[in-house]
Amino acid sequence: YGGMGLDFSYNIAVAEELGNIRCGGIPMAIGVQAGMATPALTRFGSHELKKQFLVPTIAGDFVACLGISEAGAGSDVANIKTMAVRKGDEYVINGGKMWITSGSQADWMCLLANTSQGPPHRNKSLICLPMNLPGIHVAKKIDKLGMRSSDTAQIFFEDVRVPCRNLIGEEGKGFTYQMLQFQEERLWGVATALTPMETIIQETIDYTQQRKVFGQPVLHNQTVHFRLAELATEVELLRSLLHRAVALYVEGNDVTKFASMAKLKAGRLTREVTDSCLQFWGGMGFTSEVLVSRFYRLMSIGGGTDETMLSIICKHMDILPRK
């Protein structure tokens, strides 16, 4: 979007539209490609790196993945253990990554690794890592509760050698670059959840209107239609928070607090909407052919747990100390 002269609000407009796809894994894959694995390279990468990795990724010839999370460090990014040790004009990489979307099919990874023994927020770097190098082992495609069409891989690195010129921006700035991108990732995640929630509420209205119990449509029960009205209100409140955060972000503000609030609310609301609506579908809600049961399994946790969002919000409210 930057190359087209469009601001980040256009990303969010696209994300909301992608919510019309009746499959969570597709917006997830597009989001990783367009808004998670590539922003740091776009902002801070050298011309040569952009030509080698970014151009074919934008063209759709390359699949990109983002290598942040590890088996012992998901939400706690500062705790990653993967090392990239400089030897001559190469980095030698050892360690592993977990929960890597598009990892089984990716042509390259935007890898976050420790490049020194310094403080955890200043010892990390981002590296463009071709996925066909010797020593890269895609261990398995993870079988998940939800997002079942999404390729999620566990990957190990054993003495993987990559040229030092593949470093994105400055050495030691990787954590900072990644935190910038997390704001956008969380806002994207919220946007893709809005339309499915609206769809589920509408489909539940349609189903309960024609489904009769004891001689009257299920929808005519006040418990049912009041609950649907409450949920629709909650979705609109979330949309307003998202659009406020995006407007502030486009103006150049740090929206970590609002993005975290929106992500917290989106995660909880997707569970609340699907759980409430599922009850009104009765036995049909237990089948895989209806959207509500499929969405019920997504349990929106990608991009950080609720508790991580709460901790970030508390730090920005000065309840907890910031690192």
Side-chain angles (χ1 to χ4, degrees):
Y1 292 94
M4 297 167 66
L6 305 177
D7 63 43
F8 182 68
S9 66
Y10 288 84
N11 294 49
I12 294 300
V14 169
E16 285 197 44
E17 283 303 312
L18 288 173
N20 285 302
I21 301 170
R22 300 172 70 87
C23 173
I26 296 173
M28 168 78 85
I30 295 170
V32 168
Q33 181 93 345
M36 297 176 203
T38 48
L41 175 57
T42 304
R43 290 190 179 110
F44 307 109
S46 66
H47 176 73
E48 291 75 18
L49 278 184
K50 289 179 185 178
K51 189 175 178 182
Q52 184 180 352
F53 294 100
L54 187 60
V55 171
T57 302
I58 291 171
D61 296 326
F62 277 8
V63 172
C65 67
L66 180 63
I68 307 294
S69 296
E70 299 181 4
S75 298
D76 182 10
V77 175
N79 196 39
I80 66 164
K81 301 291 188 259
T82 297
M83 291 293 302
V85 179
R86 187 187 282 263
K87 291 187 179 177
D89 60 355
E90 291 181 318
Y91 286 110
V92 180
I93 301 164
N94 283 282
K97 294 294 175 180
M98 187 73 167
W99 315 117
I100 306 305
T101 300
S102 303
S104 296
Q105 60 190 303
D107 295 287
W108 70 280
M109 172 187 285
C110 178
L111 171 74
L112 185 70
N114 299 317
T115 45
S116 74
Q117 298 293 339
H121 298 93
R122 293 197 294 276
N123 73 337
K124 294 170 174 53
S125 303
L126 287 175
I127 299 168
C128 289
L129 181 67
M131 291 294 285
N132 60 356
L133 295 176
I136 297 179
H137 308 288
V138 179
K140 63 176 179 179
K141 185 175 174 183
I142 300 164
D143 189 20
K144 308 179 302 299
L145 173 67
M147 293 275 187
R148 298 185 64 83
S149 70
S150 179
D151 160 18
T152 311
Q154 182 176 22
I155 299 167
F156 293 107
F157 309 115
E158 187 178 356
D159 291 331
V160 179
R161 292 179 173 271
V162 64
C164 289
R165 66 174 180 271
N166 283 28
L167 174 73
I168 296 174
E170 294 179 47
E171 191 170 276
K173 290 283 186 74
F175 185 87
T176 303
Y177 296 162
Q178 200 49 49
M179 289 304 107
L180 279 172
Q181 183 265 313
F182 273 154
Q183 293 185 68
E184 296 189 359
E185 177 181 332
R186 285 165 183 160
L187 293 170
W188 172 282
V190 173
T192 59
L194 288 172
T195 309
M197 285 193 283
E198 285 186 322
T199 303
I200 284 164
I201 291 168
Q202 187 56 53
E203 289 193 0
T204 303
I205 291 169
D206 296 341
Y207 179 75
T208 53
Q209 175 73 61
Q210 54 95 13
R211 172 74 173 161
K212 291 189 176 176
V213 175
F214 303 120
Q216 70 164 356
V218 171
L219 184 63
H220 289 191
N221 288 284
Q222 191 179 76
T223 303
V224 177
H225 57 244
F226 272 15
R227 182 62 179 143
L228 292 170
E230 282 179 342
L231 294 172
T233 302
E234 292 288 320
V235 173
E236 284 305 324
L237 285 167
L238 178 59
R239 176 178 276 111
S240 294
L241 174 57
L242 170 68
H243 288 178
R244 182 186 180 200
V246 170
L248 286 168
Y249 184 69
V250 168
E251 290 170 4
N253 297 288
D254 181 342
V255 294
T256 300
K257 181 173 78 169
F258 289 134
S260 301
M261 286 177 167
K263 170 65 179 63
L264 171 70
K265 184 63 180 176
R268 290 182 168 177
L269 190 57
T270 53
R271 297 192 289 271
E272 191 179 351
V273 167
T274 51
D275 184 59
S276 292
C277 288
L278 193 71
Q279 309 307 316
F280 303 147
W281 283 75
M284 277 300 294
F286 204 65
T287 65
S288 296
E289 62 193 71
V290 296
L291 183 66
V292 65
S293 75
R294 291 172 58 206
F295 201 68
Y296 184 84
R297 288 189 278 108
L298 295 185
M299 305 295 250
S300 184
I301 198 172
T305 62
D306 289 359
E307 291 71 27
T308 302
M309 295 306 105
L310 286 165
S311 294
I312 293 168
I313 294 163
C314 287
K315 287 172 186 174
H316 283 266
M317 293 173 68
D318 295 324
I319 295 170
L320 294 174
R322 301 192 202 188
K323 291 180 182 177

